[in-house]
Amino acid sequence: MSGLRIYVPGDAAAVAVGADEVASAIKAAAERNQTSITITRNGSRGLHWLEPMVEIVTTKSRIAYGPIRVADAEAIFKTAAANGANHPLRLGNPEEIPFLKKQTRLTFARCGIVDPRSLEDYRRHDGYKGLERALQMPAAGVVEEVTQSGLRGRGGAGFPTGIKWKTVADAAAGQKYIVCNADEGDSGTFADRMIMEGDPFVLIEGMTIAGIAVGATQGYIYVRSEYPHAVAVLNDAIAAAREGRMLGNGVAGSPHAFDLEVRVGAGAYVCGEETALLDSLEGKRGMVRAKPPLPAHKGLFGKPTVINNVLSLATVPIILEKGAAFYRDFGMGRSRGTMPIQLAGNVKYPGLYETAFGVTLGELVEEIGGGTANGRPIRAVQVGGPLGAYFPRSLFDTPFDYEAFAKADGLIGHGGIVVFDDTVDMAKQARFAMEFCAIESCGKCTPCRVGSTRGVEVIDRIMANSDRAANTALLEDLCNTMKYGSLCALGGFTPYPVMSALTHFPEDFGAPPSLAAAE
Ligand SMILES: Cc1cc2nc3c(=O)[nH]c(=O)nc-3n(C[C@H](O)[C@H](O)[C@H](O)COP(=O)(O)O)c2cc1C
Ligand code: SF4
């Protein structure tokens, strides 16, 4: 390819801070200078404070510059023409930026590097090697490989992926389905979106391997409506995969058939819950179904269905390519492999940080995240989305591990971390969690439907200092009822943010400070 080559992310986070305008301005500068230029809209590398992070291809490596504004476009074009020349916003080889260099990128190995719409580029970067190996194995061997890798569902519940696949593989049915949960409703999370926008073929490959492993010929990707960029990239990538005979009849020249379609949700948090998602996919209002039957036995249209999160499925190709032992070697305890962690909220270096399980919460928010963006002390960190607990500084030595978080009455969930400084009012945060549950409740069970509304009222009374002791006891009682009596985790886990706020930050509810919250 002749002429200059420049990468400008097409990722929604970069677009939100002007990446489209920057791409147009660089193109215009090249035209003014009568220079041929190829601009590739790659995914984001996940260094969000540097977006739009533009990369130019030099004779040695890519050189990154950022954050680039439209006013910088002419100068950036000139640095490209001068083979990566100096500029105040020059960051050097992106792979050498410490935030990126220190990561272990397995699921995100190609994100930000490849052209997300190019099947050829995906193949050039070791794409489809996992499928190639899977096709040489018996289907049961593929399931076993995933089981042995120790991969657990990245959507929130952490259920072993291989066991779920085996249940579907063992079910006798004429039709089975693979459903990808791309509803990504958790606050502070964006890893699914980044994969779909930055490396969609890895998800397509993972779903194809899942289909072949369990005997499913059709897959659906259920994407939240707030992700139009992801939907567009996925549809283009699916079309390219079909064209390249990697989807459809005779996948990759094998006797297997597998095809995929994208479906867009309608904006309900509860439709991320797997059974509500299936209802929504079937064209109904998303309501949680009672279990059993499990979706693995009776899922989409009553057929055995694998339903997995984007990250779970996008991690399958590297497990098949490199083997279960390679993946299992990363991590700690029963949390094997790596986790794409998302740093958000009031944090200096927000973004995507993929690393082996075992890193502590303190390392994540203070060292990697650099503390708060405004320089104030961190007071609380919410991990695992709106149903996750608030952690005080005294729990910063908790390692990122499913069991360690559960022991501290928290959850890893989808790996989202939201940082709050010392101005946060934790009583307001507790009220927000209850109100969120009241608004998003599907209404099927009483503890959640009624309990969340009553919960808001009780917190309001505590905040107004009305009969505080009795109302605090009532809130605890109500939280227990919701925890043990709700049909799904929306009602069942809302007590976690509420009770963690009350336990670790009692002074915000008008009680004496907790020793636990102190440093
Ligand atoms: C209220 C609620 C919302 C959920 N939202 C999501 C979501 O947005 N994405 C997701 O992958 N899982 C979500 N889950 C978890 C799913 O029910 C399910 O466990 C997951 O899709 C299984 O895939 P995995 O095993 O790969 O994690 C949610 C669960 C609940 C209770
Ligand atoms: S806990 Fe809430 S969201 Fe879940 S089934 Fe019950 S009412 Fe619906």
Side-chain angles (χ1 to χ4, degrees):
M1 200 181 294
S2 64
L4 302 178
R5 293 183 56 208
I6 300 194
Y7 287 82
V8 182
D11 175 283
V15 169
V17 286
D20 286 351
E21 292 77 10
V22 166
S24 304
I26 294 176
K27 190 163 171 272
E31 278 164 9
R32 275 195 302 279
N33 289 278
Q34 293 168 355
T35 306
S36 138
I37 191 168
T38 306
I39 297 180
T40 302
R41 303 305 301 271
N42 57 334
S44 168
R45 299 253 196 185
L47 290 68
H48 287 168
W49 72 100
L50 295 174
E51 294 290 4
M53 189 172 97
V54 171
E55 295 175 34
I56 68 170
V57 180
T58 73
T59 44
K60 278 201 182 136
S61 73
R62 287 196 199 176
I63 298 292
Y65 297 82
I68 300 300
R69 307 287 170 237
V70 168
D72 305 313
E74 181 81 32
I76 290 302
F77 161 75
K78 285 191 175 134
T79 61
N83 199 33
N86 253 335
H87 182 277
L89 296 175
R90 189 181 195 272
L91 301 162
N93 180 347
E95 315 270 341
E96 297 297 323
I97 300 173
F99 187 89
L100 203 49
K101 195 174 181 182
K102 284 194 264 172
Q103 297 189 37
T104 304
R105 287 212 161 184
L106 305 184
T107 310
F108 274 76
R110 286 177 216 87
C111 193
I113 297 174
V114 290
D115 175 352
R117 288 179 160 88
S118 164
L119 180 60
E120 294 68 42
D121 209 19
Y122 182 66
R123 285 188 190 284
R124 262 197 301 277
H125 290 84
D126 293 335
Y128 278 119
K129 289 208 167 147
L131 177 65
E132 209 175 285
R133 183 158 167 262
L135 287 171
Q136 290 158 11
M137 300 163 80
V142 177
V143 175
E144 183 58 18
E145 195 81 13
V146 174
T147 306
Q148 288 304 325
S149 74
L151 178 67
R152 293 165 73 173
R154 303 293 190 232
F159 188 81
T161 306
I163 292 177
K164 189 182 280 188
W165 286 23
K166 186 163 184 335
T167 311
V168 177
D170 289 347
Q175 178 69 58
K176 300 178 189 178
Y177 295 105
I178 308 295
V179 171
C180 171
N181 188 342
D183 200 50
E184 197 163 57
D186 281 2
S187 38
T189 64
F190 42 81
D192 293 351
R193 182 185 59 67
M194 282 182 64
I195 279 288
M196 293 187 283
E197 292 176 359
D199 190 14
F201 289 105
V202 80
L203 175 59
I204 295 171
E205 182 182 352
M207 290 184 75
T208 309
I209 293 170
I212 290 167
V214 306
T217 51
Q218 179 66 41
Y220 293 96
I221 309 175
Y222 184 91
V223 187
R224 64 183 317 195
S225 60
E226 294 88 339
Y227 283 179
H229 298 83
V231 171
V233 179
L234 279 173
N235 279 325
D236 286 353
I238 289 170
R242 267 193 211 124
E243 173 108 341
R245 301 194 171 268
M246 301 308 289
L247 283 176
N249 287 326
V251 166
S254 76
H256 298 280
F258 187 73
D259 214 335
L260 267 180
E261 282 177 42
V262 174
R263 289 284 184 273
V264 180
Y269 179 71
V270 80
C271 284
E273 194 283 334
E274 57 187 11
T275 61
L277 186 154
L278 294 175
D279 266 14
S280 176
L281 258 185
E282 291 176 6
K284 302 171 194 152
R285 171 180 165 188
M287 293 282 279
V288 173
R289 300 177 184 173
K291 287 188 262 188
L294 293 170
H297 290 129
K298 220 167 168 271
L300 187 63
F301 304 116
K303 303 294 180 194
T305 302
V306 164
I307 173 158
N308 273 134
N309 173 253
V310 172
L311 300 180
S312 316
L313 290 161
T315 304
V316 166
I318 196 151
I319 291 171
L320 265 296
E321 180 198 338
K322 305 230 168 168
F326 166 82
Y327 191 75
R328 196 179 52 224
D329 272 356
F330 296 93
M332 70 173 277
R334 288 176 48 225
S335 305
R336 308 312 315 171
T338 57
M339 184 72 194
I341 293 164
Q342 299 124 85
L343 294 169
N346 186 353
V347 62
K348 191 168 180 191
Y349 302 123
L352 189 289
Y353 196 91
E354 182 175 352
T355 188
F357 284 97
V359 58
T360 68
L361 185 56
E363 277 171 77
L364 281 166
V365 296
E366 295 195 304
E367 290 169 33
I368 296 159
T372 61
N374 60 4
R376 297 190 71 96
I378 297 177
R379 179 148 186 254
V381 174
Q382 189 178 28
V383 186
L387 311 176
Y390 286 97
F391 280 72
R393 299 182 69 92
S394 58
L395 290 177
F396 276 13
D397 59 354
T398 310
F400 219 76
D401 160 72
Y402 290 102
E403 279 64 42
F405 265 64
K407 214 170 143 204
D409 279 333
L411 66 141
I412 282 179
H414 187 46
I417 295 185
V418 181
V419 178
F420 296 82
D421 72 18
D422 61 346
T423 61
V424 66
D425 179 337
M426 295 306 295
K428 279 192 186 157
Q429 293 304 120
R431 188 191 190 281
F432 176 79
M434 270 296 185
E435 192 185 23
F436 180 81
C437 182
I439 292 169
E440 297 293 338
S441 169
C442 84
K444 186 149 180 167
C445 66
T446 314
C448 168
R449 185 187 65 248
V450 180
S452 53
T453 299
R454 291 291 92 84
V456 173
E457 293 163 4
V458 176
I459 297 173
D460 278 344
R461 288 202 292 273
I462 296 172
M463 288 169 80
N465 197 15
S466 156
D467 209 355
R468 178 171 287 134
N471 278 308
T472 305
L474 185 61
L475 181 62
E476 284 174 26
D477 196 29
L478 177 65
C479 279
N480 266 329
T481 305
M482 289 175 71
K483 191 169 165 182
Y484 297 110
S486 295
L487 185 58
C488 86
L490 180 47
F493 278 67
T494 292
Y496 283 78
V498 174
M499 288 310 298
S500 59
L502 190 61
T503 308
H504 300 305
F505 307 94
E507 62 276 24
D508 288 15
F509 297 78
S514 142
L515 290 177
E519 270 186 76

